[in-house]
Amino acid sequence: MEVTINNIRKEFERFPALNDVSLKIASGELIALLGPSGSGKTTLLRLIAGLDFPTSGKIFFGDQDASHHSVQERNVGFVFQHYALFRHMTVAENIGFGLKVRPTASRPPKTEIRRRVSELLDMVQLGGLEKRYPNQLSGGQRQRVALARAMAIEPRILLLDEPFGALDAKVRKELRRWLREFHDRTGHTTVFVTHDQEEALELADRVVVMSQGKIEQVGSADDVYDRPGSPFVFSFIGESSQLPVEVRDGTMLFQGQPIGIAEAGDGAGELFFRPEDVTLVDAPDALFGKVTACRRLAGTRIAEIDIANDGHAPYHVEVEVPLHAPIELGSETRFRPTRWKVFRK
Amino acid sequence: MSEDARSVLGNPPPFRNPADERPLAKILLIGLALVFLAFFLLLPLVSVFVEAFRKGWSEYYEALIEPDAAAAIRLTLLVAAISVPLNLVFGLCASWAIAKFEFKGKSFLITLIDLPFSISPVISGLVYVLLFGSNSLLGPILKSQGITILFAVPGIVLATVFVTFPFVARELIPLMEDQGTGDEEAALSLGASGWQTFWYVTLPNIKWGLLYGVLLCNARAMGEFGAVSVVSGHIRGLTNTMPLHVEILYNEYNFVAAFAVASLLALLALVTLALKTLLELRFGAGAAGGRH
């Protein structure tokens, strides 16, 4: 099911939670809504589900305008952040709930419901746990019961709110891979909300980066990481350092010294670069500063460098250095970004 | 080896939790509480039953089936049967509104619900006298229509409803606020209608709290004296509830009968207490509250 979101605006008591958001989700796609808390990602997910309604704008399911359809009419599978399993029902009753409450005409017979429930339980690899109650399950198991329950109604799209938020790191990673396989097997259009960029980049076909009620960038993991479209995306995704620069005739100047070329137009700008896109080089036009700290990070080493700022607080940047580079604390180091981006102020 | 160590070092002092009292203080505190309870609760309770059975079973039985007493018991049951369901519905609606929606004047509504707890029951009764009495605005109109409220069953029911309406709501509001709307949203997203959501999800989630609130509400509805006394008119066999009947019998020095009826009310209290304890055992102290 293709989902199209057109110029959605959502206000809570006059405060805009979403501001003119448009997005096209292709059928069968796995999409991540990524952003810090308060960026409007959960609000957008709830609007798609029909758990909230937009102040203005439209939402289409396929060609159908679903903006005024209730949550029941939209037939979406929604997995809640804390699962919202019905605690007084067994696992089987939870999963079968969506079928049981159907109007008599479309309600499958009891034996059929039972068959479907055990089929779904097998699909989420929880066969044999029919009779358990939610409080007798682990977090990861609850999560999968919630998913099975959402899938039972044969939803047109699957929506997940922070699906792994409440789980510990190891279970998180397992479930992440499992969800990817699950998606590839069922082919459902899936949208999930997360504040964890690693999760979004690893799992999703496309990542929607949001900030302050707006979509900052939509793209593949490579797009948002390698070609960030805005200062926010550059600093939110991955590690980065920034320095104020001045662009003049295609040359970028830092503290009056030319340090490279820039495609941005003339004027004040902000230079962004990633720690790994830096070489240590002894050249007169290189940046230089004092190493204040050095820390080991998996297979690399990160040096924290303070660049003097004419009596003000120094600029703080982080660069990746080879494991065996002769870096001493307090020593002066010269380096140059190999890939960078300048955003106009 | 450990044997040796002990013989050299002597037994270490037994571990004591820093928040634990010393044994003497414990005994004193527990003893004080027990003496207090025995004197102020157990003694009166026992004396009610002792007085009631002073002249034996048959006198006791006679006092209860005597027509005026039987009428009082019937009226009390009737009043409870009307006011408890009314307050159940009201309490559910109010706590639903307060716990699940945001609206202006919410905190005012919560204060309003507490009102019957904070004013004297006599005032609650007087309110209805002022509202429906012969000198009031409504009284003559209702009278011309042949409707009597005061000094009749409707007045007693109204006063009882007023006095007992916080019980269910007070019990449910914290419970429902704590549970939030997640389960309801889940049910709706699975295609359930509003009624199905209420019936299959909301109600099972609050059933024990609801039962507990109803229990307290019922105990108070049957036991209410002040408000009912003002609006009842004390007509024997007609508008006397059990508590009022007890007072009249007592004032007539008919102690055995007075205590016999009183023992029924005491029994009700004991049953309520037992059920409450059962409920707490069933689903933990948290939901059955101890909030009053």
Side-chain angles (χ1 to χ4, degrees):
Chain A
M1 177 66 50
E2 193 181 271
V3 179
T4 311
I5 294 152
N6 280 344
N7 308 101
I8 285 286
R9 184 180 170 80
K10 174 67 182 174
E11 290 174 6
F12 290 114
E13 298 184 357
R14 297 275 195 75
F15 173 78
L18 284 176
N19 203 347
D20 197 26
V21 166
S22 296
L23 180 65
K24 227 175 156 66
I25 301 166
S27 193
E29 209 173 8
L30 179 53
I31 288 245
L33 303 181
L34 173 67
S37 51
S39 60
K41 53 193 193 304
T42 298
T43 305
L44 181 56
L45 194 77
R46 291 173 60 88
L47 288 175
I48 298 173
L51 290 170
D52 269 321
F53 289 90
T55 311
S56 65
K58 285 191 184 310
I59 294 172
F60 290 88
F61 280 28
D63 304 327
Q64 196 184 21
D65 184 357
S67 311
H68 298 288
H69 287 181
S70 68
V71 56
Q72 291 100 330
E73 288 168 314
R74 289 190 201 192
N75 192 28
V76 295
F78 201 105
V79 177
F80 291 83
Q81 187 174 1
H82 300 291
Y83 322 132
L85 295 178
F86 308 131
R87 70 204 87 168
H88 58 280
M89 295 185 201
T90 62
V91 166
E93 286 167 341
N94 262 287
I95 297 175
F97 182 82
L99 300 172
K100 190 178 100 174
V101 296
R102 278 191 187 168
T104 337
S106 58
R107 179 167 53 216
K110 269 198 177 131
T111 49
E112 168 68 8
I113 294 183
R114 210 173 306 138
R115 195 187 59 76
R116 289 270 292 282
V117 166
S118 76
E119 207 176 273
L120 281 158
L121 269 174
D122 286 342
M123 194 166 75
V124 297
Q125 297 160 7
L126 290 176
L129 297 187
E130 285 90 342
K131 297 235 158 53
R132 296 271 189 95
Y133 282 90
N135 62 8
Q136 298 168 313
L137 301 178
S138 72
Q141 289 172 328
R142 282 180 213 180
Q143 170 71 344
R144 282 182 284 161
V145 172
L147 188 63
R149 184 177 71 174
M151 293 297 288
I153 60 169
E154 292 167 325
R156 297 196 283 181
I157 56 172
L158 191 56
L159 305 170
L160 305 104
D161 187 7
E162 299 267 3
F164 314 113
L167 302 170
D168 63 67
K170 192 163 175 292
V171 181
R172 246 176 130 108
K173 279 207 163 148
E174 279 170 23
L175 267 183
R176 210 190 280 171
R177 199 172 313 127
W178 179 85
L179 182 69
R180 178 75 232 186
E181 285 168 16
F182 183 83
H183 171 264
D184 293 345
R185 207 153 17 116
T186 60
H188 266 81
T189 309
T190 305
V191 183
F192 73 96
V193 158
T194 180
H195 62 261
D196 181 344
Q197 45 172 300
E198 199 185 314
E199 201 166 282
L201 297 182
E202 186 185 321
L203 197 52
D205 296 326
R206 283 197 302 158
V207 178
V208 178
V209 187
M210 298 185 67
S211 162
Q212 298 185 331
K214 286 199 175 118
I215 291 181
E216 290 275 341
Q217 190 173 359
V218 182
S220 66
D222 288 349
D223 288 337
V224 294
Y225 192 86
D226 294 337
R227 293 173 287 282
S230 69
F232 172 81
V233 178
F234 211 126
S235 55
F236 184 67
I237 308 247
E239 298 295 321
S240 64
S241 298
Q242 56 197 77
L243 290 171
V245 292
E246 171 101 24
V247 179
R248 214 179 289 153
D249 306 326
T251 306
M252 104 187 130
L253 307 169
F254 174 68
Q255 294 178 335
Q257 300 297 315
I259 53 165
I261 51 165
E263 64 272 39
D266 285 8
E270 196 80 15
L271 166 73
F272 283 82
F273 58 92
R274 303 210 180 275
E276 67 266 29
D277 295 333
V278 163
T279 51
L280 301 181
V281 56
D282 198 8
D285 60 347
L287 293 162
F288 62 93
K290 263 202 178 97
V291 177
T292 57
C294 227
R295 59 197 151 88
R296 175 70 186 252
L297 200 76
T300 64
R301 198 182 295 282
I302 300 286
E304 296 178 23
I305 296 175
D306 276 357
I307 300 175
N309 179 21
D310 197 18
H312 300 285
Y315 300 112
H316 185 80
V317 298
E318 297 191 353
V319 304
E320 195 179 300
V321 295
L323 278 182
H324 305 293
I327 295 279
E328 272 176 48
L329 285 188
S331 69
E332 186 159 279
T333 300
R334 291 181 166 264
F335 65 95
R336 188 154 60 192
T338 52
R339 281 160 46 125
W340 65 87
K341 179 131 183 153
V342 175
F343 292 101
R344 286 289 301 277
K345 266 192 179 154
Chain B
M1 174 67 205
S2 64
E3 203 70 23
D4 287 353
R6 200 174 298 158
S7 64
V8 173
L9 297 170
N11 282 339
F15 173 77
R16 195 165 63 86
N17 189 320
D20 260 4
E21 305 300 339
R22 289 178 186 289
L24 184 69
K26 264 189 200 169
I27 292 167
L28 236 120
L29 282 171
I30 296 171
L32 212 64
L34 282 180
V35 167
F36 191 86
L37 282 179
F39 194 74
F40 284 96
L41 281 174
L42 208 61
L43 205 63
L45 192 65
V46 169
S47 70
V48 166
F49 286 96
V50 168
E51 285 294 327
F53 288 107
R54 185 169 289 270
K55 291 187 180 158
W57 261 105
S58 58
E59 281 280 324
Y60 179 80
Y61 186 65
E62 286 294 321
L64 290 185
I65 59 160
E66 181 262 328
D68 286 350
I73 294 171
R74 271 200 306 276
L75 181 61
T76 297
L77 290 177
L78 175 73
V79 169
I82 298 171
S83 53
V84 171
L86 273 179
N87 278 329
L88 180 124
V89 172
F90 166 80
L92 252 178
C93 293
S95 38
W96 187 292
I98 286 167
K100 314 251 166 173
F101 307 125
E102 286 302 324
F103 56 91
K104 283 208 176 88
K106 188 162 152 173
S107 54
F108 183 63
L109 182 62
I110 298 177
T111 317
L112 224 53
I113 287 175
D114 276 343
L115 197 67
F117 276 165
S118 53
I119 61 172
S120 159
V122 177
I123 311 290
S124 315
L126 272 176
V127 168
Y128 288 98
V129 173
L130 292 175
L131 208 60
F132 297 114
S134 46
N135 294 327
S136 74
L137 205 65
L138 280 170
I141 302 171
L142 289 168
K143 199 164 192 179
S144 67
Q145 300 293 316
I147 303 169
T148 36
I149 303 258
L150 278 186
F151 314 128
V153 177
I156 297 174
V157 171
L158 280 176
T160 307
V161 167
F162 180 85
V163 173
T164 58
F165 81 60
F167 284 99
V168 174
R170 268 285 127 199
E171 201 53 44
L172 290 186
I173 289 168
L175 188 63
M176 288 174 103
E177 271 181 340
D178 191 45
Q179 288 176 351
T181 51
D183 284 13
E184 279 78 12
E185 285 184 343
L188 292 173
S189 81
L190 291 167
S193 66
W195 265 114
Q196 286 172 321
T197 303
F198 174 74
W199 200 248
Y200 292 128
V201 175
T202 308
L203 204 56
N205 274 346
I206 59 167
K207 65 181 170 197
W208 296 115
L210 186 65
L211 196 58
Y212 184 59
V214 165
L215 219 61
L216 292 178
C217 180
N218 181 58
R220 182 65 187 270
M222 290 190 173
E224 175 55 27
F225 179 83
V228 170
S229 172
V230 175
V231 295
S232 125
H234 304 267
I235 308 165
R236 275 194 165 203
L238 276 181
T239 64
N240 261 355
T241 60
M242 282 162 76
L244 301 185
H245 191 63
V246 171
E247 197 213 14
I248 287 179
L249 290 172
Y250 188 82
N251 288 343
E252 290 171 350
Y253 303 104
N254 191 351
F255 295 131
V256 169
F259 279 106
V261 179
S263 73
L264 277 191
L265 283 170
L267 215 60
L268 167 77
L270 289 178
V271 168
T272 306
L273 203 69
L275 283 176
K276 169 184 175 275
T277 313
L278 261 179
L279 278 183
E280 278 170 358
L281 278 178
R282 173 71 174 74
F283 72 133
R291 267 182 295 270
H292 291 289

